[in-house]
């Protein structure tokens, strides 16, 4: 076969093939290099006391328990608020909306929100929640800012899976005499559970990785808080990412920064894996 | 019968309105963001003068006679983004073509997992690695006093935009109808020729949106850039320390006051307008692509 084409063409094809393999290889090398380097530099510094204490100037020790807890609090508060809003919006768009203008408007707004850089969310969150609603620099203000940021993700994933629920399910339910809300609650939403869970996991991923939006809204404190303190206005706390930034940029404690980076990397891995598993298994149960 | 029906009817109406309100929150959030940014950003632009603000070459916010010119930030952001696109798009596109058309089954899955993981790594982690590996490397290789520079920022941004460029263009390439390729193969073109001369041109609107998405990512990145770019308000030089629009906002926010603080919000407003323009272009491309189909 190859004899029939000219030498020039064959060379060009070969070069392009080599370039493609090189690009793909580069991506893999990049990832392996990143993971290897971060694990090598970070893991030796992860000890039990490192993840179970708070930093102490007197003892000269560093601990990241406050940051772990803050990250969990922010995830919890954000999800509790964004899930009903996002799922509700997706239900409206797929089940209720008849006016194309309204659908287009909401769609445009969602896309716009998805494109805004996180540093701008940080500023706007500071203006709205920290100052205007006078929550102060606090976990609550940070979580509210992230609600705005993660809303498009939840809407989009839920909407996509609502679209795959067969119309016959809805028709069957309505024909049996159920009201629209009853149908949505008992038939549509349970069939769309894969999209809702995926949206949840992707949002967690964004929240765990977010730093710029939290810097000026959730603050930089490193104190251990209970869940009741976490939702009170004025109680600031830094997430893992913000702590990493502070340790690396402001204090030059690179060992601590790499240890946090290693933990973040493991979290990223777990989040990616569970998103894939959720999409696969929840969908299967559906069919 | 009517008595039974009424509460159900009320419930249906209520739920309808609740869902409508949920849907409108996204619109409300966009409106709030725009209004708050405009209110806090416009006064300083007005006081400084729009021409002096946008085209002033000197930013000296803490000087005795402060100057607020953001041209250095605008040009640094533009150069940094362009640099990342110029390096990142060819690599990303080649990788996307490989994933969509050429990869043997197992290998493709592995590369795709790598891309997904790269997409999920937090930006501060990229910043940290850039700070510890790229910055010293740039200093050594190019024999500079300090490696924290526009060049280092471009390298880090390139890595950060790769995942989105790859996954969006891969989807676009996969969406090209099989018949196009079959026709080309039947005419005697090799598989590689077919992919590059038929499939990729057919997927051009999707690839264009991948590039625009990459631009949006690069211009909006703050933390990683802050950690590797040196953060001095110079006019951009490839191996000089620079400050982007994003990092200009972040770096002075914690200690700013008065007109300086207002000017920071104006910078954010300028960045917001840039991003809105990019989003607008992206929507146009997608709309045109849909019409062509």
């Amino acid at each position: 076969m190859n004899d029939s084409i000219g030498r020039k063409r064959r060379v060009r094809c070969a070069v392009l093939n080599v370039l493609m393999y090189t690009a793909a290889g580069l991506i893999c090398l990049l990832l392996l290099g990143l993971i290897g380097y971060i694990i090598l530099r970070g893991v030796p510094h992860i000890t039990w006391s490192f993840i179970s204490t708070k930093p102490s100037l007197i003892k000269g020790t560093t601990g990241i328990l406050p940051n772990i807890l803050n990250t969990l609090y922010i995830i919890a508060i954000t999800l509790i608020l964004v899930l009903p809003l996002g799922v509700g919006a997706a239900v409206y768009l797929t089940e209720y909306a008849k006016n194309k203008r309204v659908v287009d408007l909401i769609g445009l707004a969602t896309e716009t929100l998805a494109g805004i850089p996180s540093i701008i969310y940080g500023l706007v969150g500071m203006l709205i929640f920290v100052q205007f609603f006078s929550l102060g620099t606090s976990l609550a203000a940070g979580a509210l800012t992230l609600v705005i940021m993660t809303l498009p993700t939840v809407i989009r994933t839920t909407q996509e899976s609502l679209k795959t629920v067969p119309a016959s399910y809805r028709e069957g339910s309505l024909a049996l005499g159920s009201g629209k809300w009853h149908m949505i609650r008992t038939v549509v939403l349970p069939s769309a559970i894969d999209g809702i869970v995926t949206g949840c996991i992707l949002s967690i991923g964004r929240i765990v990785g977010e730093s710029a939006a939290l810097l000026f809204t959730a603050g930089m404190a490193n104190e251990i808080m209970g869940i009741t303190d976490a939702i009170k206005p004025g109680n600031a706390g830094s997430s893992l990412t913000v702590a990493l930034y502070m340790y690396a940029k402001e204090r030059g404690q690179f060992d601590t920064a790499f240890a946090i980076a290693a933990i973040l990397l493991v979290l990223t891995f777990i989040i990616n894996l569970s998103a894939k598993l959720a999409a696969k298994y929840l969908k299967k149960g559906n069919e | 019968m009517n008595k039974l029906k009424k509460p159900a009817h009320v419930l249906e109406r209520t739920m309808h309105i609740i869902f409508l309100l949920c849907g409108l929150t996204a619109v409300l959030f966009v409106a709030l963001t725009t209004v708050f940014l405009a209110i806090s950003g416009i006064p300083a632009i007005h006081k400084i003068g729009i021409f002096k603000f946008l085209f002033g070459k000197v930013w000296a916010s803490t000087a005795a006679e402060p100057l607020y010119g953001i041209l250095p930030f605008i040009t640094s952001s533009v150069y940094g983004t362009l640099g990342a696109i110029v390096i990142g798009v060819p690599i990303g596109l080649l990788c996307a073509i490989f994933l969509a058309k050429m990869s043997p089954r197992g290998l493709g899955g592995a590369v795709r997992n790598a891309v997904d993981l790269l997409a999920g790594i937090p930006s501060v982690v990229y910043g940290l690695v850039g700070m510890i590996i790229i910055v010293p490397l740039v200093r050594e290789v190019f024999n500079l006093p300090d490696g924290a520079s526009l060049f280092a920022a471009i390298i880090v941004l390139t890595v950060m935009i790769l995942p989105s460029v790859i996954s969006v263009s891969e989807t676009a390439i996969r969406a090209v109808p099989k018949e196009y390729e079959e026709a080309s193969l039947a005419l005697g073109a090799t598989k590689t020729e077919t992919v590059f001369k038929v499939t990729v041109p057919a997927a051009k609107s999707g690839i264009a949106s991948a590039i625009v998405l990459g631009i949006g990512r690069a211009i909006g990145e703050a933390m990683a850039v802050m950690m590797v770019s040196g953060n001095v308000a110079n006019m951009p030089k490839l191996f000089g320390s620079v400050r982007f629009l994003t990092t200009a906002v972040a770096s002075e926010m914690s200690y700013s006051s008065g007109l300086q603080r207002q000017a920071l919000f104006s910078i954010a407003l300028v960045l917001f307008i840039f991003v809105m323009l990019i989003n607008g272009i992206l929507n146009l491309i997608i709309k045109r692509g849909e019409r062509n189909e």
Side-chain angles (χ1 to χ4, degrees), chain A residues 9 13 17 21 24 37-38 41 88-89 92 96 111-112 115 123 126-127 180-181 211 216 245 248 268 272 276, chain B residues 12 15 19-20 22 40 98 113 116-117 120 132 188 190 192-193 223 226 249-250 253 261 268 275-276 283:
Chain A
R9 275 174 73 193
C13 286
N17 279 336
Y21 274 86
Y37 189 76
I38 292 168
R41 284 211 52 175
Y92 180 76
Y96 283 96
E111 273 163 37
T112 310
L123 274 197
M126 187 178 91
L127 288 168
K180 192 158 195 177
W181 161 235
S211 44
F216 304 117
Y245 175 76
T268 312
N272 265 24
K276 279 190 180 151
Chain B
E12 290 297 329
M15 289 319 292
F19 283 126
L20 172 64
C22 287
S40 5
F98 173 80
N113 279 332
D116 287 347
L117 264 178
I132 301 298
T190 63
T192 312
E193 284 170 334
M223 303 306 271
M226 188 118 109
V249 177
M253 189 49 83
R261 193 176 182 82
V275 173
M276 285 297 128
N283 280 334

Side-chain angles (χ1 to χ4, degrees), chain A residues 30 34, chain B residues 80-81 83-85 87-88 118 121-138 147-164 214 217-219 221-230 238 244 247:
Chain A
L30 204 64
L34 265 174
Chain B
T81 306
I85 292 294
I87 307 175
L118 281 177
I121 295 178
S123 53
V124 280
V125 174
Y126 283 114
L128 176 65
V129 175
M131 216 170 150
I132 301 298
I133 298 185
I134 308 287
V135 170
L137 199 67
V138 170
S149 58
L150 181 59
F151 186 71
I154 289 177
I155 302 285
V156 172
L157 284 177
T158 305
V159 176
M160 294 183 70
I161 65 165
L162 272 174
S164 26
R217 279 281 143 78
I219 208 162
E221 180 50 46
M223 303 306 271
V225 172
M226 188 118 109
M227 293 165 93
V228 298
S229 68
L238 190 55
F244 284 37
T247 51

Side-chain angles (χ1 to χ4, degrees), chain B:
Chain B
M1 185 66 192
N2 264 343
K3 262 182 194 164
L4 270 177
K5 225 179 177 179
K6 208 165 184 198
H9 184 70
V10 171
L11 179 69
E12 290 297 329
R13 290 295 308 162
T14 325
M15 289 319 292
H16 189 144
I17 291 168
I18 289 176
F19 283 126
L20 172 64
L21 289 179
C22 287
L24 289 179
T25 44
V27 182
L28 175 79
F29 285 158
V30 174
L32 274 179
T33 305
T34 316
V35 168
F36 269 88
L37 270 182
I39 290 178
S40 5
I42 289 174
I45 298 183
H46 190 69
K47 257 179 243 168
I48 299 160
I50 186 157
F51 192 80
K52 258 185 161 171
F53 181 68
L54 288 179
F55 300 107
K57 284 188 183 170
V58 182
W59 174 269
S61 58
T62 47
E65 276 184 36
L67 285 167
Y68 301 100
I70 63 163
L71 194 64
F73 309 150
I74 298 180
T75 43
S76 300
S77 268
V78 170
Y79 289 173
T81 306
L82 277 183
I85 292 294
V86 167
I87 307 175
V89 165
I91 302 176
L93 193 54
L94 282 166
C95 186
I97 298 169
F98 173 80
L99 283 177
K101 294 291 165 194
M102 301 305 227
S103 61
R105 206 157 249 221
L107 194 59
V111 178
R112 199 165 301 117
N113 279 332
V115 173
D116 287 347
L117 264 178
L118 281 177
I121 295 178
S123 53
V124 280
V125 174
Y126 283 114
L128 176 65
V129 175
M131 216 170 150
I132 301 298
I133 298 185
I134 308 287
V135 170
L137 199 67
V138 170
R139 188 184 56 212
E140 295 285 316
V141 171
F142 298 100
N143 205 6
L144 305 165
D146 186 5
S149 58
L150 181 59
F151 186 71
I154 289 177
I155 302 285
V156 172
L157 284 177
T158 305
V159 176
M160 294 183 70
I161 65 165
L162 272 174
S164 26
V165 172
I166 293 174
S167 53
V168 176
S169 13
E170 190 201 339
T171 315
I173 293 168
R174 274 182 191 280
V176 173
K178 231 180 167 177
E179 290 80 5
Y180 290 19
E181 288 163 23
E182 281 162 359
S184 162
L185 289 172
L187 288 170
T190 63
K191 172 120 199 201
T192 312
E193 284 170 334
T194 304
V195 168
F196 278 89
K197 290 191 176 159
V198 176
T199 319
V200 170
K204 66 174 184 296
S205 81
I207 292 169
S209 46
I211 296 172
V212 179
L213 193 72
I215 295 177
R217 279 281 143 78
I219 208 162
E221 180 50 46
M223 303 306 271
V225 172
M226 188 118 109
M227 293 165 93
V228 298
S229 68
N231 214 12
V232 181
N234 294 327
M235 286 301 277
K237 266 186 288 177
L238 190 55
F239 293 110
S241 170
V242 293
R243 203 184 272 186
F244 284 37
L245 282 169
T246 47
T247 51
V249 177
S251 57
E252 289 183 19
M253 189 49 83
S254 50
Y255 59 82
S256 62
S257 61
L259 185 61
Q260 181 197 2
R261 193 176 182 82
Q262 287 181 328
L264 295 182
F265 286 115
S266 311
I267 298 177
L269 184 63
V270 172
L271 176 64
F272 184 67
I273 293 169
F274 263 99
V275 173
M276 285 297 128
L277 284 177
I278 293 168
N279 278 356
I281 295 171
L282 187 63
N283 280 334
L284 269 182
I285 294 173
I286 293 172
K287 283 241 172 71
R288 257 182 50 192
E290 277 169 1
R291 211 174 298 150
N292 286 347
E293 265 164 22

Side-chain angles (χ1 to χ4, degrees), chain A residues 24-45:
Chain A
L26 193 70
I27 303 287
C28 294
L29 269 183
L30 204 64
L31 181 76
L32 290 178
L34 265 174
I35 293 180
Y37 189 76
I38 292 168
I39 298 286
L40 274 182
R41 284 211 52 175
V43 168
H45 302 284

